[in-house]
Amino acid sequence: MIFENLLVVTLIVFASVFGGCIRRLSGFGGALIMTPLFMWIFPVPFLIPIVLSAEIFGGVLLSRHWQVHAEDRLRLGRLLLFSALLLPLGIYLGSLAPITVLKAFTSSLIIIFASYLLLKPHYQLQISKVLDGVAGSLSGFLLGSCGIGGPPVALYLNASHLPFDRARSLLSYFVTGTSLFGIVAASAMGGGLSWLIYLFLAIPGYWLGMRAAELLLQRHVMTDASLKRLCLLLLIANSLFNLLFLLISKIL
């Protein structure tokens, strides 16, 4: 039983607290923290509902603080629609890949994504219906195949003309919505429902992380730009740790 392994229980709680903290600070990133760490414990179809349940929990709490702008509601619908269409294909193809490949790919993808945002390239996309579909489709595919679906939409919105507060709210609601699709699809395509018991560790840990981040925000010790930079650096550090541990485990 996994619950009998103290190290595993500690890792689940740590990943959940860490993920909740990042989600509250930046509006996304909970799954980017939790998924690479959970891959050391669970198969991908099994971990997806656990991670996404925590993300939905976070989204419900954040909905009190962030509201989708009226002009962005149709865009949110398009993003969710296209992510739902590609999600089953991602789950199917992800189930065929070796877990070591998924671990390396997921961590590398997060490093590239976070590094791109840190570098702040002076390139702006003209937001459009076509790009909504492309970003949503890529997110759905990645969510199904490796458990993370936020990066394509986050990059798309970050490179657009949308103000940070609108982009953050839109991304947070997108993460919540696509998480619902992910739970249903993953459970129906091999995850089952036995993952539900692990929510007794993941949800309280996620809440604790969000609460810690809330206290930090209330103190106003960092600007929005500094918080964003800190979150991205933490994402990179977490992924580098996972890649290093993977390399060591393969050598030994």
Side-chain angles (χ1 to χ4, degrees):
M1 288 290 292
I2 288 181
F3 281 124
E4 296 174 356
N5 189 323
L6 181 60
L7 179 60
V8 170
V9 170
T10 302
L11 181 58
I12 294 173
V13 174
F14 170 77
S16 301
V17 172
F18 198 2
C21 184
I22 294 295
R23 177 70 187 279
R24 178 64 186 91
L25 292 177
S26 63
F28 71 97
L32 303 187
I33 291 292
M34 297 170 70
T35 297
L37 293 174
F38 278 12
M39 279 184 175
W40 295 101
I41 310 170
F42 306 110
V44 173
F46 195 90
L47 70 84
I48 287 178
I50 302 173
V51 173
L52 298 187
S53 294
E55 290 283 67
I56 291 173
F57 173 76
V60 171
L61 296 182
L62 289 176
S63 65
R64 299 176 299 173
H65 304 281
W66 302 334
Q67 296 296 324
V68 176
H69 194 277
E71 297 178 15
D72 298 327
R73 289 172 185 168
L74 286 178
R75 175 156 293 109
L76 175 61
R78 282 193 295 270
L79 290 170
L80 290 173
L81 172 63
F82 282 97
S83 69
L85 293 176
L86 269 290
L87 181 62
L89 177 62
I91 293 177
Y92 173 71
L93 294 180
S95 66
L96 302 179
I99 188 62
T100 53
V101 173
L102 288 177
K103 287 178 181 177
F105 174 76
T106 302
S107 295
S108 299
L109 178 65
I110 294 172
I111 291 172
I112 294 171
F113 161 70
S115 298
Y116 178 89
L117 293 182
L118 277 175
L119 292 174
K120 299 179 181 177
H122 296 289
Y123 182 77
Q124 191 172 74
L125 292 173
Q126 184 62 42
I127 204 163
S128 68
K129 295 179 180 179
V130 173
L131 292 180
D132 289 346
V134 172
S137 298
L138 288 174
S139 288
F141 179 79
L142 286 177
L143 178 61
S145 60
C146 59
I148 57 172
V153 172
L155 289 176
Y156 170 48
L157 296 178
N158 182 77
S160 73
H161 64 276
L162 288 179
F164 175 70
D165 58 336
R166 281 178 59 182
R168 180 173 61 178
S169 298
L170 182 55
L171 181 59
S172 182
Y173 275 82
F174 171 77
V175 169
T176 302
T178 197
S179 294
L180 287 170
F181 300 149
I183 290 173
V184 174
S187 298
M189 298 179 67
L193 295 176
S194 55
W195 52 269
L196 285 168
I197 191 172
Y198 297 102
L199 296 185
F200 288 100
L201 292 175
I203 296 298
Y206 202 89
W207 175 86
L208 182 61
M210 294 189 70
R211 181 57 181 162
E214 181 70 30
L215 294 176
L216 178 62
L217 291 172
Q218 290 175 357
R219 292 178 179 273
H220 302 288
V221 296
M222 301 179 71
T223 63
D224 284 346
S226 298
L227 284 172
K228 182 179 179 181
R229 182 177 179 83
L230 173 62
C231 290
L232 293 173
L233 288 172
L234 289 173
L235 289 176
I236 292 174
N238 181 65
S239 296
L240 286 174
F241 168 80
N242 280 284
L243 283 176
L244 177 62
F245 198 80
L246 178 62
L247 179 61
I248 293 174
S249 66
K250 295 297 289 185
I251 293 175
L252 298 179

